[in-house]
Coordinates of all heavy atoms in Angstrom, one line a residue:
M1 N 48.7 84.2 102.2 CA 48.3 85.1 101.1 C 49.2 84.7 99.9 O 50.4 84.5 100.0 CB 48.6 86.6 101.5 CG 48.1 87.6 100.6 SD 48.2 89.3 101.1 CE 48.8 89.3 102.7
S2 N 48.6 84.6 98.7 CA 49.3 84.2 97.5 C 50.2 85.3 97.0 O 49.9 86.5 97.3 CB 48.3 83.7 96.4 OG 47.7 84.8 95.9
P3 N 51.2 85.0 96.1 CA 52.1 86.0 95.6 C 51.3 87.0 94.7 O 51.8 88.1 94.5 CB 53.1 85.3 94.7 CG 52.9 83.8 95.0 CD 51.6 83.6 95.7
S4 N 50.2 86.6 94.2 CA 49.4 87.5 93.3 C 48.4 88.4 94.1 O 47.6 89.1 93.5 CB 48.7 86.8 92.2 OG 47.7 85.9 92.8
A5 N 48.5 88.3 95.4 CA 47.6 89.1 96.3 C 48.4 89.9 97.3 O 49.3 89.3 97.9 CB 46.6 88.2 97.0
R6 N 48.0 91.1 97.4 CA 48.7 92.0 98.4 C 47.7 92.8 99.1 O 46.6 93.1 98.6 CB 49.8 92.9 97.8 CG 50.9 92.1 97.1 CD 52.0 93.0 96.7 NE 51.7 93.5 95.4 CZ 52.5 94.4 94.8 NH1 53.5 95.0 95.3 NH2 52.2 94.8 93.5
R7 N 48.1 93.4 100.3 CA 47.2 94.4 100.9 C 47.2 95.6 100.1 O 48.1 95.9 99.4 CB 47.8 94.7 102.3 CG 47.8 93.5 103.2 CD 46.7 93.7 104.3 NE 46.5 92.5 105.0 CZ 45.4 92.0 105.3 NH1 44.3 92.5 104.9 NH2 45.3 90.9 106.0
L8 N 46.1 96.3 100.1 CA 45.9 97.6 99.3 C 47.1 98.5 99.6 O 47.6 99.1 98.7 CB 44.6 98.2 99.7 CG 44.3 99.6 99.0 CD1 44.3 99.4 97.5 CD2 43.0 100.1 99.5
S9 N 47.5 98.6 100.9 CA 48.6 99.6 101.2 C 49.9 99.2 100.6 O 50.7 100.0 100.3 CB 48.7 99.7 102.7 OG 49.1 98.4 103.3
Q10 N 50.1 97.9 100.3 CA 51.3 97.4 99.6 C 51.3 97.8 98.1 O 52.4 98.0 97.6 CB 51.4 95.9 99.7 CG 51.7 95.5 101.1 CD 51.7 94.0 101.3 OE1 50.7 93.3 100.9 NE2 52.8 93.4 101.8
W11 N 50.1 97.9 97.5 CA 50.1 98.4 96.1 C 50.4 99.9 96.1 O 50.9 100.5 95.1 CB 48.7 98.2 95.5 CG 48.3 96.8 95.3 CD1 47.5 96.0 96.0 CD2 48.7 96.0 94.2 NE1 47.4 94.8 95.5 CE2 48.2 94.7 94.3 CE3 49.5 96.3 93.1 CZ2 48.4 93.7 93.4 CZ3 49.7 95.2 92.1 CH2 49.2 94.0 92.3
L12 N 50.2 100.6 97.2 CA 50.4 102.1 97.3 C 51.6 102.3 98.2 O 51.5 102.9 99.3 CB 49.2 102.8 97.8 CG 47.9 102.4 97.1 CD1 46.7 102.9 97.9 CD2 47.9 103.0 95.7
A13 N 52.8 101.8 97.9 CA 53.9 101.7 98.8 C 54.7 103.0 99.0 O 55.5 103.1 99.9 CB 54.9 100.6 98.3
E14 N 54.4 104.0 98.1 CA 55.2 105.3 98.2 C 54.8 106.0 99.5 O 53.7 106.2 99.8 CB 54.8 106.2 97.0 CG 55.6 107.4 96.9 CD 57.0 107.2 96.4 OE1 57.3 106.2 95.8 OE2 57.9 108.0 96.8
P15 N 55.8 106.3 100.3 CA 55.6 107.1 101.6 C 54.9 108.4 101.3 O 55.2 109.0 100.3 CB 56.9 107.3 102.2 CG 57.9 106.5 101.4 CD 57.3 106.1 100.1
M16 N 54.1 108.8 102.2 CA 53.3 110.1 102.1 C 54.0 111.2 102.9 O 54.4 111.0 104.0 CB 51.9 109.9 102.6 CG 51.1 108.9 101.8 SD 49.5 108.6 102.5 CE 48.7 110.1 102.1
P17 N 54.2 112.4 102.3 CA 54.8 113.5 103.0 C 53.9 114.0 104.2 O 52.7 113.9 104.1 CB 54.9 114.6 102.0 CG 54.0 114.2 100.9 CD 53.8 112.7 101.0
L18 N 54.5 114.5 105.2 CA 53.8 114.9 106.4 C 52.7 115.9 106.2 O 51.6 115.8 106.8 CB 54.8 115.4 107.5 CG 54.2 115.8 108.8 CD1 53.6 114.6 109.5 CD2 55.3 116.4 109.7
R19 N 52.9 116.8 105.3 CA 51.9 117.8 105.0 C 50.6 117.2 104.5 O 49.5 117.5 104.9 CB 52.5 118.8 104.0 CG 51.5 119.9 103.6 CD 52.1 121.0 102.7 NE 53.1 121.8 103.4 CZ 52.8 122.8 104.2 NH1 51.5 123.1 104.5 NH2 53.7 123.5 104.8
K20 N 50.8 116.2 103.6 CA 49.6 115.5 103.0 C 48.9 114.7 104.1 O 47.7 114.7 104.2 CB 50.0 114.6 101.9 CG 48.8 113.9 101.2 CD 47.9 114.9 100.6 CE 46.8 114.2 99.8 NZ 45.8 115.2 99.3
V21 N 49.7 114.0 104.9 CA 49.1 113.2 106.0 C 48.4 114.1 107.0 O 47.3 113.7 107.4 CB 50.3 112.4 106.7 CG1 49.7 111.7 107.9 CG2 50.9 111.4 105.8
A22 N 49.0 115.2 107.4 CA 48.3 116.1 108.3 C 47.0 116.6 107.7 O 46.0 116.6 108.4 CB 49.2 117.3 108.6
E23 N 47.0 116.9 106.4 CA 45.7 117.3 105.8 C 44.6 116.2 105.8 O 43.5 116.5 106.2 CB 46.0 117.7 104.3 CG 44.9 118.1 103.5 CD 45.2 118.3 102.0 OE1 46.3 118.9 101.8 OE2 44.5 117.8 101.2
L24 N 45.0 115.0 105.5 CA 44.1 113.9 105.6 C 43.5 113.6 107.0 O 42.4 113.2 107.1 CB 44.8 112.6 105.1 CG 45.1 112.6 103.6 CD1 45.9 111.4 103.2 CD2 43.8 112.6 102.8
L25 N 44.4 113.8 108.0 CA 44.0 113.6 109.4 C 43.4 114.8 110.1 O 43.0 114.7 111.2 CB 45.2 113.1 110.2 CG 45.8 111.7 109.7 CD1 47.0 111.4 110.5 CD2 44.8 110.6 109.8
G26 N 43.3 115.9 109.4 CA 42.7 117.1 109.9 C 43.5 117.8 111.0 O 43.0 118.4 111.9
V27 N 44.8 117.7 110.8 CA 45.8 118.3 111.7 C 46.4 119.6 111.0 O 46.7 119.5 109.8 CB 46.9 117.3 112.0 CG1 48.0 118.0 112.9 CG2 46.4 116.1 112.8
D28 N 46.6 120.6 111.7 CA 47.2 121.8 111.1 C 48.6 121.5 110.7 O 49.5 121.0 111.4 CB 47.3 122.9 112.2 CG 47.9 124.2 111.7 OD1 48.4 124.3 110.6 OD2 47.8 125.2 112.4
A29 N 48.9 121.6 109.3 CA 50.2 121.2 108.8 C 51.4 122.0 109.4 O 52.5 121.5 109.5 CB 50.2 121.5 107.3
A30 N 51.1 123.2 109.9 CA 52.2 124.0 110.5 C 52.6 123.4 111.8 O 53.7 123.6 112.3 CB 51.8 125.5 110.6
K31 N 51.6 122.8 112.5 CA 51.9 122.2 113.8 C 52.3 120.8 113.8 O 52.8 120.2 114.8 CB 50.6 122.3 114.7 CG 50.2 123.8 115.0 CD 49.0 123.8 115.9 CE 48.6 125.3 116.1 NZ 47.4 125.4 116.9
A32 N 52.2 120.1 112.6 CA 52.5 118.7 112.5 C 53.9 118.3 112.9 O 54.1 117.4 113.7 CB 52.2 118.2 111.1
P33 N 54.9 119.0 112.4 CA 56.3 118.6 112.8 C 56.5 118.7 114.4 O 57.1 117.8 114.9 CB 57.2 119.6 112.1 CG 56.4 120.1 111.0 CD 55.0 120.1 111.5
G34 N 55.9 119.7 115.0 CA 56.0 119.8 116.5 C 55.3 118.6 117.2 O 55.8 118.1 118.2
L35 N 54.2 118.2 116.6 CA 53.4 117.1 117.2 C 54.2 115.8 117.0 O 54.2 114.9 117.9 CB 52.0 117.0 116.5 CG 51.1 118.1 116.8 CD1 49.8 117.9 115.9 CD2 50.7 118.1 118.3
V36 N 54.9 115.6 115.9 CA 55.7 114.5 115.6 C 56.8 114.4 116.7 O 57.1 113.4 117.3 CB 56.3 114.4 114.2 CG1 57.3 113.3 114.0 CG2 55.1 114.2 113.2
R37 N 57.5 115.5 116.8 CA 58.7 115.6 117.8 C 58.2 115.3 119.2 O 58.9 114.7 120.0 CB 59.4 116.9 117.7 CG 60.2 117.1 116.4 CD 61.1 118.3 116.5 NE 60.4 119.5 116.5 CZ 59.9 120.2 115.4 NH1 60.2 119.7 114.2 NH2 59.3 121.3 115.5
A38 N 57.0 115.7 119.5 CA 56.4 115.5 120.9 C 55.7 114.1 121.0 O 55.1 113.8 122.0 CB 55.5 116.6 121.2
N39 N 55.8 113.3 120.0 CA 55.1 112.0 120.0 C 53.6 112.1 120.1 O 53.0 111.3 120.8 CB 55.7 111.0 121.0 CG 56.9 110.2 120.5 OD1 57.0 110.1 119.3 ND2 57.7 109.7 121.4
R40 N 53.0 113.1 119.6 CA 51.6 113.4 119.7 C 50.9 113.4 118.4 O 49.7 113.7 118.3 CB 51.3 114.7 120.5 CG 51.9 114.6 121.9 CD 51.6 115.8 122.7 NE 50.2 116.1 122.8 CZ 49.6 117.3 122.6 NH1 50.4 118.4 122.4 NH2 48.3 117.5 122.7
F41 N 51.6 113.0 117.3 CA 50.9 113.0 116.0 C 50.1 111.7 115.9 O 50.5 110.7 116.4 CB 52.0 113.0 114.9 CG 51.4 113.3 113.5 CD1 51.0 114.6 113.2 CD2 51.3 112.3 112.6 CE1 50.5 114.9 112.0 CE2 50.7 112.6 111.3 CZ 50.4 114.0 111.0
P42 N 48.9 111.7 115.3 CA 48.0 110.6 115.3 C 48.4 109.3 114.6 O 47.6 108.4 114.6 CB 46.7 111.2 114.8 CG 47.0 112.5 114.2 CD 48.3 112.9 114.7
C43 N 49.5 109.3 113.9 CA 49.9 108.1 113.3 C 51.5 108.0 113.3 O 52.1 109.0 113.6 CB 49.4 107.9 111.8 SG 50.3 108.8 110.6
R44 N 52.0 106.8 113.0 CA 53.5 106.7 113.0 C 54.1 107.4 111.9 O 53.6 107.4 110.8 CB 53.8 105.2 112.8 CG 54.2 104.5 114.1 CD 54.8 103.1 113.8 NE 54.0 102.4 112.8 CZ 53.8 101.1 112.8 NH1 54.3 100.4 113.8 NH2 53.1 100.6 111.9
V45 N 55.2 108.1 112.2 CA 55.9 108.9 111.2 C 57.4 108.5 111.2 O 57.9 108.3 112.3 CB 55.7 110.4 111.4 CG1 56.5 111.3 110.5 CG2 54.2 110.8 111.3
S46 N 58.1 108.5 110.1 CA 59.5 108.3 110.0 C 60.2 109.5 109.4 O 59.5 110.3 108.7 CB 59.8 107.0 109.2 OG 59.1 105.9 109.6
K47 N 61.5 109.5 109.6 CA 62.2 110.6 108.9 C 63.1 109.9 107.8 O 63.9 109.0 108.1 CB 63.1 111.3 109.9 CG 63.5 112.7 109.5 CD 64.0 113.5 110.6 CE 64.1 115.0 110.3 NZ 64.6 115.8 111.4
V48 N 62.9 110.3 106.6 CA 63.6 109.8 105.4 C 64.3 110.9 104.7 O 63.6 111.8 104.2 CB 62.7 109.0 104.5 CG1 63.4 108.5 103.3 CG2 62.0 107.8 105.2
K49 N 65.6 110.9 104.6 CA 66.3 112.0 103.9 C 66.0 113.3 104.4 O 65.8 114.3 103.7 CB 66.1 111.9 102.4 CG 66.6 110.6 101.7 CD 66.4 110.6 100.2 CE 66.9 109.3 99.7 NZ 66.7 109.2 98.2
G50 N 65.8 113.4 105.8 CA 65.6 114.7 106.4 C 64.1 115.2 106.4 O 63.8 116.2 106.9
K51 N 63.2 114.4 105.8 CA 61.8 114.8 105.7 C 60.9 113.7 106.4 O 61.2 112.5 106.3 CB 61.4 114.9 104.3 CG 62.1 116.0 103.6 CD 61.6 116.2 102.2 CE 62.4 117.3 101.6 NZ 61.7 118.2 100.7
Y52 N 59.9 114.2 107.1 CA 58.9 113.3 107.7 C 58.0 112.7 106.7 O 57.4 113.4 105.9 CB 58.1 114.1 108.8 CG 58.9 114.5 110.0 CD1 59.0 115.8 110.3 CD2 59.4 113.5 110.9 CE1 59.7 116.2 111.5 CE2 60.1 113.9 112.0 CZ 60.3 115.2 112.3 OH 60.9 115.6 113.4
V53 N 57.8 111.4 106.8 CA 56.9 110.7 105.9 C 56.1 109.6 106.7 O 56.6 109.2 107.8 CB 57.6 110.0 104.7 CG1 58.2 111.0 103.8 CG2 58.7 109.0 105.2
A54 N 55.0 109.2 106.2 CA 54.3 108.1 106.8 C 53.9 107.1 105.8 O 53.7 107.4 104.6 CB 53.0 108.6 107.5
S55 N 53.8 105.8 106.1 CA 53.4 104.8 105.2 C 51.9 104.9 105.0 O 51.1 105.3 105.9 CB 53.8 103.4 105.7 OG 52.9 103.0 106.8
V56 N 51.4 104.4 103.8 CA 50.0 104.4 103.5 C 49.3 103.6 104.6 O 48.2 103.9 105.0 CB 49.8 103.9 102.1 CG1 48.3 103.7 101.8 CG2 50.4 104.9 101.1
A57 N 49.9 102.4 104.9 CA 49.2 101.5 105.9 C 49.0 102.2 107.2 O 47.9 102.1 107.9 CB 50.0 100.3 106.1
D58 N 50.0 103.0 107.7 CA 49.8 103.7 109.0 C 48.8 104.8 108.9 O 48.0 105.0 109.8 CB 51.2 104.3 109.4 CG 52.1 103.3 109.9 OD1 51.7 102.2 110.3 OD2 53.4 103.5 109.8
V59 N 48.7 105.5 107.8 CA 47.7 106.6 107.6 C 46.3 105.9 107.5 O 45.4 106.4 108.2 CB 48.0 107.4 106.3 CG1 46.9 108.4 106.0 CG2 49.3 108.1 106.4
M60 N 46.2 104.8 106.8 CA 44.9 104.1 106.7 C 44.4 103.7 108.1 O 43.3 103.8 108.5 CB 45.0 102.9 105.8 CG 45.1 103.3 104.3 SD 45.4 101.9 103.2 CE 43.8 101.0 103.4
E61 N 45.4 103.1 108.9 CA 45.0 102.7 110.2 C 44.5 103.9 111.1 O 43.5 103.8 111.8 CB 46.2 102.0 110.9 CG 45.9 101.5 112.3 CD 47.2 100.8 112.9 OE1 48.0 100.3 112.2 OE2 47.3 100.9 114.1
A62 N 45.2 105.0 111.0 CA 44.9 106.2 111.8 C 43.5 106.7 111.4 O 42.8 107.3 112.2 CB 45.9 107.3 111.6
M63 N 43.1 106.5 110.1 CA 41.8 107.0 109.6 C 40.7 106.0 109.8 O 39.6 106.2 109.5 CB 42.0 107.4 108.1 CG 42.9 108.5 107.9 SD 43.1 108.9 106.1 CE 41.5 109.6 105.8
G64 N 41.1 104.8 110.3 CA 40.1 103.7 110.5 C 39.6 103.1 109.2 O 38.5 102.5 109.2
I65 N 40.5 103.1 108.2 CA 40.2 102.4 106.9 C 40.8 101.0 106.9 O 42.0 100.8 107.2 CB 40.8 103.3 105.8 CG1 40.2 104.7 105.8 CG2 40.5 102.6 104.4 CD1 40.8 105.6 104.8
D66 N 40.0 100.0 106.5 CA 40.4 98.7 106.4 C 41.5 98.6 105.3 O 41.5 99.4 104.4 CB 39.3 97.7 106.1 CG 38.4 97.5 107.2 OD1 38.8 97.7 108.4 OD2 37.2 97.2 107.0
D67 N 42.4 97.6 105.4 CA 43.4 97.4 104.5 C 43.2 96.0 103.8 O 43.8 95.0 104.2 CB 44.8 97.4 105.2 CG 46.0 97.5 104.2 OD1 45.7 97.7 103.0 OD2 47.1 97.5 104.7
P68 N 42.3 95.9 102.9 CA 41.9 94.7 102.3 C 42.9 94.0 101.4 O 43.8 94.7 101.0 CB 40.6 95.0 101.5 CG 40.9 96.4 101.0 CD 41.6 97.1 102.2
I69 N 42.8 92.7 101.2 CA 43.7 92.0 100.3 C 43.1 92.2 98.9 O 41.9 92.1 98.6 CB 43.7 90.5 100.6 CG1 44.4 90.3 102.0 CG2 44.4 89.7 99.6 CD1 44.3 88.9 102.5
V70 N 44.0 92.6 98.0 CA 43.6 92.9 96.6 C 44.4 91.9 95.7 O 45.6 91.8 95.8 CB 43.9 94.3 96.2 CG1 43.5 94.6 94.7 CG2 43.2 95.3 97.1
R71 N 43.7 91.1 94.9 CA 44.4 90.2 94.0 C 44.7 90.9 92.6 O 43.9 91.7 92.1 CB 43.5 89.0 93.8 CG 43.4 88.1 95.0 CD 42.3 87.1 95.0 NE 42.2 86.4 96.2 CZ 41.7 86.9 97.4 NH1 41.2 88.1 97.4 NH2 41.6 86.1 98.5
T72 N 45.8 90.5 92.1 CA 46.2 91.1 90.8 C 45.2 90.9 89.7 O 44.9 91.9 89.0 CB 47.5 90.4 90.3 OG1 48.5 90.4 91.3 CG2 48.1 91.0 89.1
G73 N 44.6 89.8 89.6 CA 43.5 89.6 88.6 C 42.3 90.5 88.8 O 41.8 91.0 87.8
D74 N 41.9 90.7 90.0 CA 40.8 91.7 90.3 C 41.2 93.1 89.9 O 40.4 93.8 89.4 CB 40.5 91.6 91.8 CG 39.9 90.3 92.2 OD1 39.4 89.5 91.3 OD2 39.9 90.0 93.4
L75 N 42.5 93.5 90.2 CA 42.9 94.8 89.9 C 42.9 95.0 88.4 O 42.5 96.0 87.9 CB 44.3 95.0 90.5 CG 45.0 96.4 90.4 CD1 44.2 97.4 91.3 CD2 46.4 96.3 90.8
L76 N 43.5 94.0 87.7 CA 43.5 94.1 86.2 C 42.1 94.1 85.6 O 41.8 94.8 84.7 CB 44.4 93.0 85.6 CG 45.9 93.1 86.0 CD1 46.6 91.8 85.5 CD2 46.5 94.3 85.5
G77 N 41.3 93.3 86.1 CA 39.9 93.2 85.7 C 39.1 94.5 85.9 O 38.4 95.0 85.0
G78 N 39.4 95.1 87.0 CA 38.8 96.4 87.3 C 39.3 97.5 86.4 O 38.5 98.4 85.9
A79 N 40.6 97.5 86.1 CA 41.1 98.5 85.1 C 40.6 98.3 83.7 O 40.2 99.2 83.0 CB 42.7 98.3 85.1
E80 N 40.4 97.0 83.3 CA 39.8 96.7 82.0 C 38.4 97.2 81.9 O 38.0 97.8 81.0 CB 39.9 95.2 81.7 CG 39.3 94.8 80.3 CD 40.0 95.5 79.2 OE1 41.2 95.8 79.2 OE2 39.2 95.8 78.2
F81 N 37.6 97.0 83.0 CA 36.2 97.4 83.0 C 36.2 98.9 82.9 O 35.3 99.5 82.2 CB 35.6 96.9 84.4 CG 34.2 97.3 84.5 CD1 33.2 96.6 83.9 CD2 33.8 98.4 85.3 CE1 31.8 97.0 84.0 CE2 32.5 98.8 85.4 CZ 31.5 98.1 84.8
A82 N 37.1 99.6 83.7 CA 37.1 101.1 83.6 C 37.4 101.6 82.3 O 36.9 102.6 81.8 CB 38.0 101.6 84.7
R83 N 38.3 100.9 81.6 CA 38.8 101.4 80.2 C 37.6 101.3 79.2 O 37.5 102.2 78.4 CB 39.9 100.4 79.7 CG 41.2 101.1 79.5 CD 42.2 100.2 78.8 NE 42.4 98.9 79.4 CZ 43.3 98.6 80.3 NH1 44.0 99.6 80.8 NH2 43.4 97.4 80.8
R84 N 36.7 100.4 79.4 CA 35.5 100.3 78.5 C 34.6 101.5 78.6 O 33.8 101.8 77.7 CB 34.7 99.0 78.8 CG 35.4 97.8 78.3 CD 34.6 96.6 78.4 NE 35.0 95.8 79.6 CZ 34.3 95.0 80.3 NH1 33.0 94.8 80.0 NH2 34.8 94.3 81.3
W85 N 34.7 102.2 79.8 CA 33.8 103.4 80.0 C 34.4 104.7 79.6 O 33.8 105.8 79.8 CB 33.3 103.4 81.4 CG 32.4 102.2 81.7 CD1 32.8 101.0 82.3 CD2 31.1 102.1 81.4 NE1 31.8 100.2 82.3 CE2 30.7 100.8 81.8 CE3 30.1 102.9 80.8 CZ2 29.4 100.3 81.6 CZ3 28.8 102.4 80.6 CH2 28.5 101.1 81.0
D86 N 35.7 104.7 79.2 CA 36.4 105.9 78.8 C 35.9 106.4 77.5 O 35.5 105.8 76.6 CB 37.9 105.7 78.7 CG 38.6 105.9 80.1 OD1 37.9 106.5 81.0 OD2 39.7 105.4 80.2

């Protein structure tokens, strides 16, 4: 993979809070921490600064969403195309 191309999940590198992940996966947010502690949550979760978070790549995998390679030029070209329609 060239330096100007990354996986979609790498462009969205900010970890997602457990509440949002639970909502996306259709899990009761109140039960999510217990499921994580019991190793029964549907995707990998880490604890960062005392809060449960999941990477975008792990959430995409749990949802069955492909993680395609996105090239910088394609991303910028798409943004420019969208700007013309504003």
Side-chain angles (χ1 to χ4, degrees):
M1 193 173 353
S2 74
S4 66
R6 295 191 273 177
R7 296 252 171 227
L8 178 61
S9 62
Q10 291 173 306
W11 289 101
L12 308 168
E14 187 71 27
M16 299 175 69
L18 183 61
R19 180 172 291 281
K20 182 65 177 175
V21 175
E23 178 184 314
L24 289 170
L25 297 176
V27 175
D28 183 351
K31 294 180 182 178
L35 292 171
V36 170
R37 286 190 295 273
N39 273 340
R40 295 185 57 225
F41 197 72
C43 82
R44 260 191 317 217
V45 176
S46 305
K47 204 167 194 178
V48 177
K49 296 182 182 176
K51 297 189 181 215
Y52 289 118
V53 295
S55 72
V56 173
D58 289 335
V59 175
M60 289 173 66
E61 183 180 327
M63 295 177 74
I65 298 173
D66 288 335
D67 194 4
I69 294 172
V70 178
R71 290 169 184 74
T72 306
D74 294 340
L75 186 67
L76 295 174
E80 179 58 33
F81 181 80
R83 245 191 305 274
R84 285 189 257 156
W85 294 98
D86 276 342

